[in-house]
Amino acid sequence: MSTSLEAIDRAILRELSEDGRCSFTDLAERVGLSVSAVHQRVRRLEQRGVLRGYQGKLDYEQVGLPLTAFISVTPIDPSAPDDYPQRLEHLREIEACYSVAGDYSYILLVRVARATALEDLLRRIRESANVSTKTTVVLSTPYEARPPAV
Protein backbone atom coordinates (compact mmCIF):
# COMPACT_ATOMS: atom_id res chain seq x y z
CA MET A 1 0.00 0.00 0.00
CA SER A 2 1.30 3.43 -0.85
CA THR A 3 2.41 5.77 1.91
CA SER A 4 0.46 8.52 0.15
CA LEU A 5 -2.70 7.62 2.06
CA GLU A 6 -4.01 10.33 4.30
CA ALA A 7 -4.53 9.57 8.00
CA ILE A 8 -8.30 9.74 7.60
CA ASP A 9 -8.19 7.22 4.73
CA ARG A 10 -6.11 4.90 6.94
CA ALA A 11 -8.72 5.26 9.69
CA ILE A 12 -11.49 4.37 7.22
CA LEU A 13 -9.54 1.32 6.02
CA ARG A 14 -8.92 0.20 9.61
CA GLU A 15 -12.62 0.38 10.41
CA LEU A 16 -13.70 -1.40 7.22
CA SER A 17 -11.10 -4.15 7.67
CA GLU A 18 -12.64 -4.89 11.07
CA ASP A 19 -16.26 -4.58 9.92
CA GLY A 20 -16.82 -4.59 6.17
CA ARG A 21 -20.59 -4.30 6.69
CA CYS A 22 -20.27 -1.08 8.67
CA SER A 23 -22.81 1.49 7.44
CA PHE A 24 -21.61 4.83 6.11
CA THR A 25 -23.37 6.47 9.06
CA ASP A 26 -21.48 4.36 11.61
CA LEU A 27 -18.24 4.72 9.68
CA ALA A 28 -18.62 8.51 9.57
CA GLU A 29 -19.18 8.59 13.32
CA ARG A 30 -16.15 6.40 13.99
CA VAL A 31 -13.75 8.49 11.88
CA GLY A 32 -15.23 11.93 12.58
CA LEU A 33 -16.47 12.90 9.11
CA SER A 34 -19.84 13.54 7.53
CA VAL A 35 -21.62 10.64 5.85
CA SER A 36 -21.18 12.19 2.40
CA ALA A 37 -17.44 12.76 2.99
CA VAL A 38 -16.97 9.14 4.09
CA HIS A 39 -18.96 7.88 1.11
CA GLN A 40 -16.82 9.95 -1.25
CA ARG A 41 -13.56 8.75 0.35
CA VAL A 42 -14.63 5.09 0.29
CA ARG A 43 -15.60 5.40 -3.38
CA ARG A 44 -12.20 7.00 -4.14
CA LEU A 45 -10.37 4.21 -2.25
CA GLU A 46 -12.32 1.63 -4.28
CA GLN A 47 -11.56 3.41 -7.59
CA ARG A 48 -7.84 3.58 -6.75
CA GLY A 49 -7.85 -0.14 -5.99
CA VAL A 50 -6.78 0.37 -2.37
CA LEU A 51 -10.07 -1.08 -1.15
CA ARG A 52 -10.56 -4.13 -3.32
CA GLY A 53 -13.73 -5.65 -1.93
CA TYR A 54 -15.70 -6.87 1.03
CA GLN A 55 -15.68 -10.42 2.26
CA GLY A 56 -17.69 -12.49 4.68
CA LYS A 57 -15.78 -14.35 7.38
CA LEU A 58 -16.77 -18.00 7.51
CA ASP A 59 -16.73 -20.53 10.30
CA TYR A 60 -15.00 -23.28 8.32
CA GLU A 61 -16.09 -26.03 10.72
CA GLN A 62 -19.75 -25.10 10.23
CA VAL A 63 -19.46 -25.05 6.43
CA GLY A 64 -17.89 -28.52 6.43
CA LEU A 65 -14.23 -27.57 5.89
CA PRO A 66 -12.60 -28.17 9.27
CA LEU A 67 -9.19 -29.30 7.98
CA THR A 68 -6.79 -26.49 7.06
CA ALA A 69 -3.33 -27.16 5.65
CA PHE A 70 -0.40 -25.39 4.05
CA ILE A 71 1.07 -27.14 1.04
CA SER A 72 4.56 -26.15 -0.07
CA VAL A 73 5.11 -26.68 -3.79
CA THR A 74 8.40 -27.33 -5.59
CA PRO A 75 8.68 -27.94 -9.35
CA ILE A 76 9.95 -31.36 -10.37
CA ASP A 77 11.52 -29.75 -13.46
CA PRO A 78 13.07 -26.40 -12.46
CA SER A 79 13.35 -25.42 -16.14
CA ALA A 80 9.58 -25.73 -16.66
CA PRO A 81 7.59 -22.49 -17.12
CA ASP A 82 6.55 -20.88 -13.83
CA ASP A 83 2.81 -21.11 -14.47
CA TYR A 84 1.85 -23.12 -11.39
CA PRO A 85 -0.81 -20.68 -10.13
CA GLN A 86 -2.61 -20.95 -13.48
CA ARG A 87 -2.30 -24.76 -13.48
CA LEU A 88 -3.84 -24.92 -10.01
CA GLU A 89 -6.51 -22.21 -10.12
CA HIS A 90 -9.24 -24.72 -11.02
CA LEU A 91 -8.79 -26.46 -7.64
CA ARG A 92 -11.39 -24.71 -5.47
CA GLU A 93 -9.98 -26.15 -2.24
CA ILE A 94 -7.00 -23.81 -2.64
CA GLU A 95 -7.92 -20.63 -0.79
CA ALA A 96 -4.65 -18.77 -1.37
CA CYS A 97 -1.48 -19.21 -3.41
CA TYR A 98 1.63 -17.38 -2.20
CA SER A 99 4.79 -17.01 -4.27
CA VAL A 100 7.62 -17.30 -1.75
CA ALA A 101 11.38 -17.02 -1.45
CA GLY A 102 13.25 -19.93 0.08
CA ASP A 103 13.13 -23.68 -0.40
CA TYR A 104 9.74 -23.71 -2.13
CA SER A 105 8.24 -21.87 -5.09
CA TYR A 106 4.72 -21.49 -3.71
CA ILE A 107 2.80 -22.13 -0.53
CA LEU A 108 -0.88 -22.97 -0.83
CA LEU A 109 -3.48 -22.46 1.88
CA VAL A 110 -6.13 -25.15 1.51
CA ARG A 111 -9.32 -26.14 3.34
CA VAL A 112 -10.96 -29.53 3.04
CA ALA A 113 -13.52 -31.71 4.81
CA ARG A 114 -11.28 -34.57 5.95
CA ALA A 115 -7.87 -36.22 5.63
CA THR A 116 -8.94 -38.32 2.64
CA ALA A 117 -10.00 -35.13 0.82
CA LEU A 118 -6.55 -33.65 1.55
CA GLU A 119 -4.92 -36.78 0.19
CA ASP A 120 -7.00 -36.51 -2.98
CA LEU A 121 -6.21 -32.80 -3.33
CA LEU A 122 -2.47 -33.50 -3.01
CA ARG A 123 -2.73 -36.04 -5.83
CA ARG A 124 -4.58 -33.54 -8.03
CA ILE A 125 -2.05 -30.77 -7.29
CA ARG A 126 0.86 -33.05 -8.23
CA GLU A 127 -0.87 -34.18 -11.41
CA SER A 128 -2.00 -30.70 -12.48
CA ALA A 129 1.28 -28.91 -11.93
CA ASN A 130 4.00 -31.62 -12.04
CA VAL A 131 5.31 -30.62 -8.63
CA SER A 132 6.40 -32.21 -5.40
CA THR A 133 4.63 -31.17 -2.22
CA LYS A 134 5.24 -30.90 1.51
CA THR A 135 2.17 -30.57 3.71
CA THR A 136 1.69 -28.98 7.11
CA VAL A 137 -1.68 -29.64 8.74
CA VAL A 138 -3.07 -26.91 11.00
CA LEU A 139 -4.02 -28.22 14.44
CA SER A 140 -5.72 -25.05 15.69
CA THR A 141 -6.06 -21.41 14.68
CA PRO A 142 -5.72 -19.01 17.63
CA TYR A 143 -6.35 -16.11 15.24
CA GLU A 144 -6.65 -15.55 11.52
CA ALA A 145 -7.42 -12.78 9.02
CA ARG A 146 -6.63 -10.08 11.56
CA PRO A 147 -7.01 -6.53 10.27
CA PRO A 148 -3.64 -5.12 9.23
CA ALA A 149 -1.92 -2.31 11.13
CA VAL A 150 -2.90 0.33 8.56
Side-chain angles (χ1 to χ4, degrees):
M1 186 180 328
S2 172
T3 58
S4 65
L5 286 175
E6 296 178 27
I8 194 69
D9 290 335
R10 289 181 184 280
I12 290 169
L13 292 171
R14 255 191 316 274
E15 294 297 327
L16 287 175
S17 69
E18 288 190 26
D19 180 6
R21 295 187 66 186
C22 180
S23 71
F24 285 121
T25 303
D26 289 341
L27 186 56
E29 185 177 303
R30 292 178 192 177
V31 300
L33 290 177
S34 69
V35 174
S36 62
V38 163
H39 187 264
Q40 183 179 34
R41 283 183 177 266
V42 167
R43 183 175 308 158
R44 197 174 315 127
L45 289 166
E46 289 172 341
Q47 289 170 344
R48 288 177 49 200
V50 176
L51 185 56
R52 299 186 329 183
Y54 304 86
Q55 189 172 352
K57 294 181 182 179
L58 305 180
D59 181 322
Y60 294 102
E61 296 239 355
Q62 290 192 47
V63 297
L65 300 172
L67 198 155
T68 300
F70 291 96
I71 302 172
S72 302
V73 173
T74 305
I76 290 175
D77 178 4
S79 66
D82 185 3
D83 60 353
Y84 305 106
Q86 293 80 15
R87 290 191 212 177
L88 298 171
E89 67 188 346
H90 69 283
L91 300 173
R92 299 296 301 156
E93 298 92 337
I94 300 173
E95 183 176 312
C97 176
Y98 305 101
S99 176
V100 296
D103 294 336
Y104 305 102
S105 297
Y106 294 91
I107 296 178
L108 311 173
L109 168 61
V110 304
R111 298 188 196 273
V112 293
R114 63 188 62 79
T116 55
L118 178 59
E119 187 175 35
D120 178 62
L121 177 60
L122 288 166
R123 179 190 53 74
R124 290 183 289 135
I125 287 170
R126 291 181 191 123
E127 288 174 357
S128 296
N130 193 32
V131 294
S132 64
T133 60
K134 180 178 179 183
T135 304
T136 303
V137 173
V138 174
L139 298 177
S140 69
T141 306
Y143 51 85
E144 177 178 62
R146 293 173 22 168
V150 180

